[in-house]
Amino acid sequence: MIYILYNPHAGNHHGEQRARQLDGCYPKQDLTYVDMTKISDYSAFLEEVAAEDELILCGGDGTLNRFVNDTEGLEIRREIRYYPVGSGNDFAHDLGIQEAKEPFIISPYLKNLPLVAVNGKQYRFLNGIGYGIDGYCCEVGDNLRKKNDKPINYTSIAIQGLLFHYKPTKAKVTVDGVCHTYDKVWLSPTMYGRFYGGGMIPTPQQNRLQPQTLSVMVLHGSGKLKTLAVFPSIFKGKHVEHREMVDVLSGSKIIVEFDRPTALQIDGETILNVTSYQASLAACVVEKGK
């Protein structure tokens, strides 16, 4: 038996439809499709899955994030495969997979994931933590998604935010105990992989396959027009060439503090009213967020 766990909300609410394309990959296998949003207890669910049965996850980056956090502390004694059907699929792209023809094994990538503490809670993350205008974009996108099922254009939201709506902050960024202060901070994400936000590459040298450090990128110090002019280059990782307004710092423990609350996103999942976060490699101790 192959259990296909899908998120119906992934891929702009086409998650189930895209997941059922797997019928063509396994024409002679017994497939059981399970709506992940209806699994309230993964421990109980996994007890009902036989040792010889297979598990395939279907969704996007947010789906993977929820899975690794919902199964935190559980020992899953079987390989997990993944079939990306999300709208961004940054995790798959970071592995060099632009378009998956069939599910692929991801079990090794789900072990020893980094941690982030925010608003008194702790989460695992696979790709990165967006803080600044990227968190703002997720907040606006979530509100638009509640009104209709149309695809969300995050690039358009970012441009509108840069020009009219989002106000930069002052920030303190502490990396392995060394503090850096910045004015006019537009972005300050911490990354475990290279990609987030549907193709943005804030820290081009970060490598999840050799996770010795995390990397934080700070886009700061410039006005709206210059920031808007540089912003598109983040999709190719070329923004780091603008050293007068972009810093990339690496370490095992990173704390970012803003001087006012703003939205934050973890692998695309939005958290509102955040003044700080602390991210660390799995081997480090994470204190409770503020």
Side-chain angles (χ1 to χ4, degrees):
M1 176 74 71
I2 299 177
Y3 285 87
I4 299 174
L5 280 57
Y6 68 89
N7 180 358
H9 305 299
N12 293 312
H13 298 278
H14 292 96
E16 180 176 3
Q17 177 186 350
R18 294 177 182 176
R20 290 189 178 274
Q21 294 173 353
L22 292 177
D23 288 342
C25 294
Y26 303 98
K28 297 182 180 180
Q29 299 278 356
D30 291 329
L31 307 181
T32 297
Y33 287 88
V34 181
D35 183 342
M36 297 176 69
T37 64
K38 296 182 179 179
I39 300 176
S40 59
D41 185 345
Y42 270 97
S43 179
F45 171 79
L46 292 171
E47 285 182 0
E48 298 178 359
V49 178
E52 65 273 14
D53 292 338
E54 297 182 32
L55 288 179
I56 299 175
L57 305 182
C58 293
D61 298 299
T63 302
L64 288 176
N65 179 277
R66 291 187 182 185
F67 179 80
V68 297
N69 282 286
D70 288 346
T71 59
E72 174 73 5
L74 299 180
E75 185 177 2
I76 303 178
R77 298 179 178 177
R78 57 179 55 79
E79 287 186 339
I80 298 174
R81 295 178 183 272
Y82 177 52
Y83 187 61
V85 298
S87 54
N89 299 323
D90 290 306
F91 172 76
H93 293 165
D94 198 30
L95 301 185
I97 300 171
Q98 298 299 317
E99 184 176 356
K101 302 297 183 181
E102 59 185 24
F104 53 91
I105 295 173
I106 61 169
S107 303
Y109 301 105
L110 304 185
K111 298 177 181 178
N112 300 317
L113 290 170
L115 295 156
V116 57
V118 56
N119 286 357
K121 295 183 179 180
Q122 187 168 281
Y123 309 86
R124 298 283 182 183
F125 63 99
L126 291 97
N127 298 325
I129 304 150
Y131 197 28
I133 197 166
D134 43 2
Y136 161 83
C137 289
C138 286
E139 179 182 7
V140 173
D142 289 347
N143 291 333
L144 291 174
R145 196 173 287 109
K146 292 175 183 178
K147 298 176 182 179
N148 57 65
D149 294 334
K150 294 181 180 179
I152 306 300
N153 187 331
Y154 287 102
T155 301
S156 175
I157 295 172
I159 292 172
Q160 293 292 317
L162 280 168
L163 288 175
F164 306 112
H165 307 298
Y166 185 79
K167 306 298 180 185
T169 69
K170 293 183 178 180
K172 181 168 70 172
V173 179
T174 305
V175 180
D176 291 344
V178 179
C179 181
H180 309 261
T181 58
Y182 298 93
D183 291 324
K184 287 187 177 181
V185 174
W186 297 92
L187 285 171
S188 189
T190 291
M191 303 298 296
Y192 182 60
R194 288 177 300 158
F195 295 88
Y196 86 143
M200 297 168 67
I201 316 174
T203 55
Q205 300 303 314
Q206 178 65 23
N207 186 353
R208 74 167 69 243
L209 301 179
Q210 297 176 344
Q212 303 301 316
T213 60
L214 299 171
S215 297
V216 58
M217 185 275 286
V218 187
L219 178 62
H220 65 94
S222 296
K224 294 180 179 180
L225 294 181
K226 184 172 182 180
T227 302
L228 182 61
V230 170
F231 185 78
S233 64
I234 197 173
F235 287 92
K236 293 185 177 180
K238 297 296 185 180
H239 63 296
V240 296
E241 298 174 1
H242 296 268
R243 296 183 180 180
E244 77 282 3
M245 57 187 294
V246 177
D247 283 359
V248 177
L249 308 168
S250 297
S252 59
K253 182 183 289 186
I254 295 169
I255 303 171
V256 178
E257 301 169 271
F258 278 6
D259 67 347
R260 65 173 175 83
T262 186
L264 171 150
Q265 61 89 10
I266 305 172
D267 293 334
E269 299 295 300
T270 311
I271 300 176
L272 304 177
N273 299 316
V274 177
T275 56
S276 72
Y277 72 82
Q278 176 179 305
S280 74
L281 296 175
C284 300
V285 177
V286 178
E287 301 170 359
K288 287 188 175 181
K290 296 180 179 180

